[in-house]
Every structure is written in structure tokens, then in C-alpha cells.
């Protein structure tokens, strides 16, 4: 069975500082990894994905994520956070042979001005 | 391109009542998903359709939940009778097909069971 862990319920950073949201995964085969963001009263929006290739993946709104196979991690990063980045972030994993997405519990990011 | 549409946005019912949610996916998307998102948790897949056929309903509580996608386009999710623990946001998502990696989500329906 596949699963995702987001060890931090909340992340607080000052605007302009680097932002990191942690994610670790468990999957039997090669993982497909995703980050989604959810703003209040809105659905999930796709940020980026790792399927294969370069371990550093770039996505929407200046976000990037680094795939680390040995540590089974896929941390989301942004070099300089904005107040508008405040939202709920979800990491998700899909096994190569299973089309089902499994989501983490989410991390609430608050960026203070 | 219009996004995934869902209605209603909010619904409050009493336990043991029934409720139905509607979803219209992005035009041309063959795969449709219903997720349940309980407060403080990530979305959990309830059912997945490929066109008008069910691909995966292993996590759907079939004694009270049902879903259909009769013409392979829009879909309805029903709960009958509702329980307090069904209070959640019900998200609909769609993708071009099962192998497509990105899923596009609607705004969700927030259900409160009292």
C-alpha cells in the first residue's frame, strides 16, 4: 500500500524567507509524486509533479520540489515566500501500477508580512 | 477552458436524511473522481469512473453511498441515510484519462450533518 507523511501540521515563515514543506512517501514501486495547494473555499490546485528524470522539479508560482529516492522524500521549496503563498499544501503519491492518488494530511503554511 | 463544476457549494442536513451532490467535469475528460475530505485530513478517494464505468470503488461505503455517471459526462454522488461522520468536503476531480497524471479539482461541496 502507498502512503504519504507530512510531518508538520503548520509552517510559519516571514515574507521573503525561504519556505520548505516536508513530505515523505512509501510505495512499492517507482513513485509518481505531486504537490497540490488549497486556498480557502477552493478546490485543490496542481503545483508540480515528479514522474522521472531530473530530481529537481520546477512548478507553478515559483515553487520547486526535490525528489530524494534514498530518503524517500519530496520536499516542496520556494526561495522567497510571499504572503499570498499562505494556504494548505498537500503532497500525494501514486504507484506506477495503481492509478489511485494517496494524499498526506496537509501542511498549513502561513507567511507573515 | 471551464473548470470542474460542483453544486451545491454548501449543504446542511440532519442525520438519517439523504443528500446528493452534482459534478460536471472538464469537457473531454474521460476520468472522474469523487473524494471525501474530512477536516484536518487529506482527500480520500471514494470512487473513480472511466467514462461511465466504475474503475475503483473500494473505499466507497456502499451501504449508504452511491454514485453514477450515466452518460459518461456529469456525475452524482448520493448519501442515504447520512451519518454525523459524513460531515466533510466532497471534492470532484477529472483527468483526460486514467494514465494522465494531473487531476483537476472542483471547489467542493461542504456537507454538515447535524
Amino acid at each position: 500500500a502507498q502512503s504519504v507523511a507530512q510531518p508538520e501540521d503548520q509552517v510559519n515563515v516571514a515574507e521573503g524567507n525561504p519556505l520548505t514543506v516536508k513530505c515523505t512517501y512509501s510505495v512499492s514501486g517507482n513513485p509518481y509524486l505531486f504537490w497540490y495547494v488549497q486556498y480557502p473555499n477552493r478546490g485543490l490546485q496542481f503545483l508540480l509533479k515528479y514522474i522521472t528524470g531530473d530530481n529537481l522539479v520546477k512548478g507553478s508560482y515559483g515553487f520547486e520540489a526535490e525528489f530524494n529516492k534514498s530518503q524517500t522524500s519530496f520536499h516542496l521549496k520556494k526561495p522567497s515566500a510571499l504572503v499570498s503563498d499562505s494556504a494548505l499544501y498537500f503532497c500525494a503519491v501514486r504507484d506506477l501500477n495503481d492509478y489511485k492518488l494517496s494524499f498526506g494530511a496537509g501542511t498549513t503554511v502561513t507567511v507573515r508580512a | 477552458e471551464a473548470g470542474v463544476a460542483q453544486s451545491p457549494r454548501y449543504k446542511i442536513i440532519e442525520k438519517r436524511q439523504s443528500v446528493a451532490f452534482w459534478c460536471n467535469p472538464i469537457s473531454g475528460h474521460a476520468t472522474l473522481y469523487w473524494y471525501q475530505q474530512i477536516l484536518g485530513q487529506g482527500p480520500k478517494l471514494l470512487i473513480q469512473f472511466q467514462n461511465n464505468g466504475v474503475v475503483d470503488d473500494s473505499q466507497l461505503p456502499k451501504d449508504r453511498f452511491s454514485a453514477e455517471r450515466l452518460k459518461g459526462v456529469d456525475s452524482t454522488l448520493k448519501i442515504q441515510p447520512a451519518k454525523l461522520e459524513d460531515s466533510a468536503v466532497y471534492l470532484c476531480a477529472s483527468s483526460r484519462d486514467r494514465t494522465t497524471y494531473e487531476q483537476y479539482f472542483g471547489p467542493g461541496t461542504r456537507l454538515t450533518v447535524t
Side-chain angles (χ1 to χ4, degrees), chain A:
Chain A
Q2 57 201 37
S3 65
V4 169
Q6 293 182 242
E8 300 162 317
D9 292 336
Q10 292 193 358
V11 170
N12 298 306
V13 298
E15 189 172 35
N17 282 1
L19 170 63
T20 298
V21 186
K22 296 179 180 178
C23 170
T24 59
Y25 66 90
S26 174
V27 69
S28 58
N30 291 323
Y32 294 163
L33 295 155
F34 306 82
W35 277 100
Y36 283 84
V37 60
Q38 186 175 36
Y39 297 99
N41 299 315
R42 296 178 65 177
L44 278 70
Q45 295 179 32
F46 170 80
L47 275 180
L48 52 78
K49 68 178 184 287
Y50 171 83
I51 305 299
T52 187
D54 196 349
N55 289 343
L56 185 63
V57 178
K58 294 188 182 297
S60 307
Y61 313 121
F63 284 94
E64 58 189 27
E66 186 168 11
F67 171 64
N68 188 317
K69 188 172 183 177
S70 62
Q71 297 185 5
T72 61
S73 67
F74 189 57
H75 301 330
L76 181 70
K77 299 179 181 181
K78 187 171 185 179
S80 178
L82 301 172
V83 172
S84 57
D85 294 328
S86 298
L88 182 57
Y89 291 80
F90 290 98
C91 183
V93 67
R94 198 183 98 175
D95 186 90
L96 177 65
N97 298 313
D98 187 343
Y99 299 110
K100 184 187 309 180
L101 265 184
S102 297
F103 286 86
T107 299
T108 299
V109 170
T110 302
V111 182
R112 60 185 184 277

Side-chain angles (χ1 to χ4, degrees), chain B residues 27-65:
Chain B
S27 178
H29 280 194
T31 310
L32 185 146
Y33 314 79
W34 282 103
Y35 289 86
Q36 180 192 57
Q37 185 179 12
I38 294 173
L39 186 65
Q41 300 179 20
K44 182 185 80 172
L45 180 68
L46 291 176
I47 189 167
Q48 177 183 345
F49 292 93
Q50 179 70 16
N51 295 312
N52 61 350
V54 175
V55 172
D56 184 348
D57 63 357
S58 58
Q59 298 190 90
L60 186 74
K62 298 181 185 63
D63 58 333
R64 297 184 301 105
F65 286 64

Side-chain angles (χ1 to χ4, degrees), chain B residues 72-109:
Chain B
V73 181
D74 56 351
S75 175
T76 302
L77 176 69
K78 297 180 181 178
I79 307 175
Q80 182 178 8
K83 294 185 175 181
L84 295 177
E85 59 261 36
D86 297 332
S87 294
V89 175
Y90 291 85
L91 295 166
C92 179
S94 70
S95 61
R96 291 193 183 278
D97 55 49
R98 289 184 68 197
T99 60
T100 304
Y101 304 119
E102 289 94 86
Q103 295 182 20
Y104 297 86
F105 285 79
T109 297

